[in-house]
């Protein structure tokens, strides 16, 4: 033969044994040595180079020659075809082949010994008649067997690839497919369905006016208070069992204050000062319905204003709406990296005239567990209607936009706004305070068309009495551009606004509270949300004296019934509220409300809390869209299998 191939030991299983459940091969006894002969590693090999094969019969006269020892004829399967019976009896192979059709060793080209154990093939003299035919049959069936196994394995691999792409792999039971029904009894299959989450991590970006690396920009010390906790049992969906255990930890990053609680309904609080951010972690039973917020306010000159923001999960693709080009207005893009690796951020800006040529918007590196602040004016100088698109590589980030307006020495307000809803054709801005009579208040909606097509956008107010048309209810937005729509004709009070479009758009509302046109004031941004049927809510950071007042606004496009749950001084109160289609409902919150939650029983809603704080210089205002407080996660079915 052309060369030698390594023999497989009798104890070593073949690959096809694993797929076809072949019986484990039994070890065969070693051949007895001839009388007077010493057993050596070289005995029994045709050229004295190796040990005798236990599966080969030895000729007593010629130890160097060997022939395969096959099974007895009576041991063959009854249904074996007659033309194969002779091939299998003896060994089923020619020239020392295994039953898999692979050569077992090298044998001499000696006709006498090559056919000694194959009575069906005749002797050397019949080689032209029987030997050629037998070899042809052997080659035909041996090759066919190998091809069948190859096709079967290839088919199985193709099925796995198809299943992974189509999603059906989650229900593919490999054990059943290969008839190995009890292959791993110690492993339980994972069933598809919902499971209560057991861990949740959020990030709070911290103060909105500090953190620049540029020493030429003066910054004053600023702090925020952070609150985080889990929804009370009364707010959880039906069927979610109350379990013991778990905990909530707030920690200022880097290396700051830590606050912990271990009971549902309790709220963990702490303060973060300067260029820091806060990591909020919930474990075990307290992870279900976990949320957090931050609050910062000041009556000091050049810092006057109030800002609230959601503590959110890290994202790798988000949009921020806010800012302007007024004199003394400065916006900061705040980025916090909750991961253990550097994250690279790209910031793109849409503006009034379309996409802005951004300077330095790529390659913004946020270090592990770090916080990085970028001036928006450095990215898009002088842009009057900025909308920022943040994408990342290397990991997600927690992002927000700090907006501060100081016109000369007159404070116009501060805000920290988080991500708006992803581009969509039907969005809701849940709580927009209408301008007050006899004031210099402002209310408007910023809309951006991020795609390649122009958008025809319709706005309408969603009030407790139903939908109301607005004077500027229809607006055209060019591709890649941004428009501000005046909605000063909103009905009195706090209303929802529906934003509908023929192509996906982004939206957020902007309000300013100012008693006089040249007096001090405050501002707020209210991002659009996508209506949801999930639990949403959060603890509310508030002032110690209870001076901050809050109102909850719940808006529904299709109509909904919800349970509104509040926690005040440790007492839980709940009430059922029905909201007609295309309407909103406002609930005044008691002073020092610790948390508020909205659990839809029917329909989808959007909700937000508007906070106000009265001062001798004017009214401070902030808006907080209530985030989803995840309770469950989706599981895919997995059938365990091990060959």
């Amino acid at each position: 033969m052309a060369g030698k191939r390594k023999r497989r030991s009798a104890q070593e299983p073949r690959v096809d044994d694993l797929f076809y459940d072949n019986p484990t091969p039994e070890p065969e006894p070693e051949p007895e040595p001839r009388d007077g002969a010493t057993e050596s590693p070289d005995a029994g090999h045709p050229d004295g180079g190796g040990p005798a094969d236990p599966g080969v019969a030895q000729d007593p006269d010629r130890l160097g020659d060997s022939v395969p020892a096959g099974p007895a004829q009576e041991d063959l399967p009854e249904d074996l075809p007659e033309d194969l019976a002779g091939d299998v009896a003896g060994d089923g192979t020619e020239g020392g082949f295994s039953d898999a059709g692979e050569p077992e060793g090298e044998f001499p080209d000696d006709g006498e010994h090559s056919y000694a154990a194959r009575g069906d093939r005749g002797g050397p003299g019949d080689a032209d008649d029987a030997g050629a035919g037998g070899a042809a049959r052997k080659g035909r069936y041996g090759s066919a067997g190998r091809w069948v196994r190859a096709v079967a394995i290839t088919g199985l691999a193709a099925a796995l690839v198809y299943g992974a792409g189509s999603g059906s792999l989650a229900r593919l039971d490999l054990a059943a497919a290969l008839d190995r029904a009890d292959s791993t009894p110690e492993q339980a299959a994972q069933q598809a369905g919902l499971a209560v989450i057991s861990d949740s991590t959020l990030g709070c970006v911290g103060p909105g006016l500090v953190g620049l690396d540029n020493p030429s920009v003066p910054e004053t010390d600023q702090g925020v208070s952070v609150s985080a906790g889990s929804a009370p049992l009364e707010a959880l969906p039906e069927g979610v069992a109350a379990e013991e255990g778990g905990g909530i930890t707030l920690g200022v990053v880097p290396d700051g204050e830590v606050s912990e609680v271990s009971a549902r309904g309790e709220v963990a609080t702490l303060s973060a000062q300067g260029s820091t951010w806060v990591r909020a972690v919930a474990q075990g039973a307290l992870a279900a319905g976990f949320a957090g917020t931050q609050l910062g306010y000041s009556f000091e000159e050049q810092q006057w204003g109030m800002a609230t923001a959601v503590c959110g999960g890290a994202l790798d693709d988000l949009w921020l709406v806010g800012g302007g080009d007024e004199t003394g207005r400065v916006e900061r893009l705040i980025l916090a990296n909750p991961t253990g690796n550097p994250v690279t951020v790209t910031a793109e800006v849409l503006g009034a005239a379309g996409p802005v040529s951004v300077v330095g918007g790529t390659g913004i590196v946020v270090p592990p567990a770090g916080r990085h602040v970028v001036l928006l004016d450095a990215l898009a100088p002088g842009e009057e209607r900025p909308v920022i698109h943040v994408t990342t590589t290397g990991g997600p980030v927690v992002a927000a936009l700090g907006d501060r307006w100081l016109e000369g020495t007159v404070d116009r307000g501060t805000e920290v706004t988080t991500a708006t809803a992803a581009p969509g054709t039907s969005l809701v801005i849940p709580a927009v305070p209408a301008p007050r009579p006899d004031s210099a208040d402002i209310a408007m909606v910023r809309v951006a068309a991020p795609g390649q097509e122009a958008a025809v956008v319709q706005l309408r107010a969603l009030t407790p009495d139903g939908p109301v048309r607005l004077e500027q209810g229809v607006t055209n937005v060019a591709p890649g551009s941004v428009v501000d729509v005046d909605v000063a004709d909103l009905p009195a009070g706090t209303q929802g606004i529906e934003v509908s479009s023929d192509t996906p758009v982004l939206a957020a509302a902007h309000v300013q509270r100012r008693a006089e046109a040249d007096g001090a004031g405050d501002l707020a941004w209210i991002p659009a949300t996508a209506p949801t049927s999930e639990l949403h809510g959060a603890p509310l950071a508030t002032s110690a004296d209870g001076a901050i007042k809050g109102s909850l606004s719940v808006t529904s496009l299709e109509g909904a019934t919800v349970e509104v749950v509040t926690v005040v001084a440790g007492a839980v109160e709940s009430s059922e509220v029905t909201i007609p289609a295309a309407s909103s409902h406002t609930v005044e919150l008691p002073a020092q409300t610790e948390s508020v939650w909205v659990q839809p029983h029917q329909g989808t809603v959007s909700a937000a809390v508007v906070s106000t704080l009265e001062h001798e210089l004017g009214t401070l205002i902030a808006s907080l869209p209530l985030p989803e407080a995840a309770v469950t996660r989706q599981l895919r079915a997995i059938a365990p299998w091990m060959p």
Side-chain angles (χ1 to χ4, degrees):
M1 299 178 68
K4 299 181 180 179
R5 298 180 63 176
K6 182 180 178 181
R7 290 186 55 81
R8 183 190 302 108
S9 77
Q11 299 292 340
E12 182 180 354
R14 301 189 309 273
V15 173
D16 55 319
D17 290 334
L18 302 177
F19 285 91
Y20 297 102
D21 209 14
N22 293 335
T24 303
E26 297 293 338
E28 299 185 15
E30 295 291 337
E32 296 292 336
R34 277 193 316 171
D35 295 340
T38 59
E39 189 173 353
S40 70
D42 296 339
H45 194 275
D47 29 323
D53 183 19
V56 178
Q58 305 298 315
D59 190 316
D61 297 322
R62 294 181 60 180
L63 290 177
D65 296 337
S66 60
V67 292
Q73 184 70 32
E74 57 271 15
D75 294 332
L76 297 177
E78 296 180 357
D79 57 350
L80 190 70
E82 293 183 0
D83 60 344
L84 292 181
D87 290 345
V88 179
D91 170 61
T93 58
E94 183 178 20
F97 279 76
S98 72
D99 56 356
E102 297 179 338
E104 294 278 18
E106 186 172 9
F107 300 99
D109 294 332
D110 189 323
E112 177 182 354
H113 293 279
S114 298
Y115 290 84
R118 309 186 61 158
D120 64 306
R121 297 298 177 89
D126 299 327
D128 292 341
D129 299 330
R137 283 193 302 272
K138 176 264 158 192
R140 181 172 66 254
Y141 289 103
S143 298
R146 290 193 297 274
W147 276 104
V148 167
R149 284 192 293 272
V151 170
I153 294 173
T154 303
L156 176 60
L160 291 174
V161 172
Y162 171 78
S166 65
S168 60
L169 181 60
R171 297 186 177 276
L172 179 60
D173 190 338
L174 295 178
L178 295 176
D179 197 20
R180 307 286 293 247
D182 212 9
S183 56
T184 54
E186 71 281 359
Q187 297 185 10
Q190 175 177 289
Q191 301 298 321
L194 295 177
V196 177
I197 65 173
S198 58
D199 62 88
S200 179
T201 300
L202 305 174
C204 316
V205 296
L209 304 182
V210 295
L212 289 174
D213 293 333
N214 187 351
S216 64
V217 179
E219 293 183 341
T220 57
D221 189 27
Q222 188 190 24
V224 297
S225 59
V226 177
S227 298
S230 299
L233 294 176
E234 292 82 352
L236 295 180
E238 293 183 5
V240 176
E243 296 183 2
E244 300 295 332
I248 293 173
T249 302
L250 292 182
V252 177
V253 183
D255 304 327
E257 181 184 351
V258 174
S259 175
E260 297 180 339
V261 297
S262 58
R264 181 171 292 279
E266 293 183 351
V267 176
T269 62
L270 53 69
S271 297
Q273 299 290 326
S275 185
T276 60
W277 64 282
V278 176
R279 190 194 309 271
V281 179
Q283 297 286 345
L286 298 188
F290 177 59
T293 62
Q294 68 172 48
L295 165 70
Y297 68 93
S298 174
F299 298 132
E300 296 183 16
E301 187 177 345
Q302 299 187 10
Q303 298 185 51
W304 199 79
M306 180 168 63
T308 58
V310 170
C311 300
L315 301 171
D316 57 12
D317 191 330
L318 59 99
W319 293 85
L320 298 166
V321 180
D325 66 342
E326 293 86 353
T327 301
R329 197 162 185 173
V330 178
E331 304 88 1
R332 290 168 168 83
L333 176 60
I334 309 167
L335 306 167
N337 176 9
T339 75
N341 304 305
V343 174
T344 302
V345 175
T346 298
E348 302 170 299
V349 179
L350 302 181
V356 178
S357 179
V358 175
V359 178
T362 60
I364 302 171
V365 178
V366 187
R371 184 179 189 265
H372 188 74
V373 179
V374 180
L375 275 177
L376 188 58
D377 279 345
L379 301 177
E383 177 51 50
E384 60 176 314
R385 305 171 195 159
V387 172
I388 304 96
H389 186 202
V390 175
T391 56
T392 70
T393 57
V397 296
V398 180
L401 185 68
D403 188 359
R404 174 198 177 194
W405 186 7
L406 180 64
E407 190 174 5
T409 59
V410 179
D411 287 291
R412 297 297 194 187
T414 62
E415 177 66 300
V416 175
T417 184
T418 52
T420 191
T425 57
S426 180
L427 303 172
V428 173
I429 305 173
V432 184
R436 298 167 299 177
D438 302 324
S439 72
D441 292 351
I442 293 174
M444 63 91 168
V445 173
R446 180 167 293 177
V447 182
Q452 301 299 316
E453 299 180 2
V456 178
V457 180
Q458 297 184 9
L459 305 179
R460 63 174 180 169
L462 306 178
T463 75
D465 299 322
V468 174
R469 295 185 59 183
L470 298 173
E471 184 177 344
Q472 298 188 31
V474 179
T475 303
N476 294 320
V477 185
S481 66
V482 183
V483 299
D484 286 343
V485 182
D486 184 13
V487 292
D489 58 328
L490 277 172
T494 298
Q495 316 298 344
I497 294 182
E498 178 189 9
V499 181
S500 58
S501 173
D502 57 345
T503 61
V505 295
L506 300 152
H510 177 52
V511 298
Q512 296 179 22
R513 280 290 188 260
R514 196 181 311 164
E516 299 177 357
D518 58 353
D522 199 9
L523 59 88
W525 285 96
I526 308 100
T529 65
T532 178
S533 61
E534 303 299 322
L535 170 69
H536 43 296
L540 302 178
T542 186
S543 58
D545 58 3
I548 296 178
K549 297 180 180 180
S551 63
L552 168 69
S553 180
V554 184
T555 302
S556 178
L557 293 177
E558 61 183 18
T561 300
V562 303
E563 192 79 16
V564 176
V565 180
T566 58
V567 180
V568 182
V572 179
E573 298 181 2
S574 63
S575 61
E576 187 175 277
V577 176
T578 298
I579 305 161
S583 300
S584 64
H585 182 83
T586 299
V587 178
E588 296 298 327
L589 300 176
Q592 293 185 314
T593 297
E594 297 172 9
S595 65
V596 59
W597 310 88
V598 177
Q599 175 60 65
H601 295 317
Q602 182 181 3
T604 60
V605 298
S606 298
V609 172
V610 176
S611 300
T612 58
L613 177 59
E614 297 296 334
H615 188 268
E616 60 183 12
L617 295 179
T619 301
L620 305 184
I621 188 169
S623 180
L624 180 77
L626 291 184
E628 283 193 22
V631 175
T632 60
R633 62 187 178 92
Q634 186 69 42
L635 292 179
R636 296 171 63 90
I638 300 176
W641 175 79
M642 181 179 294

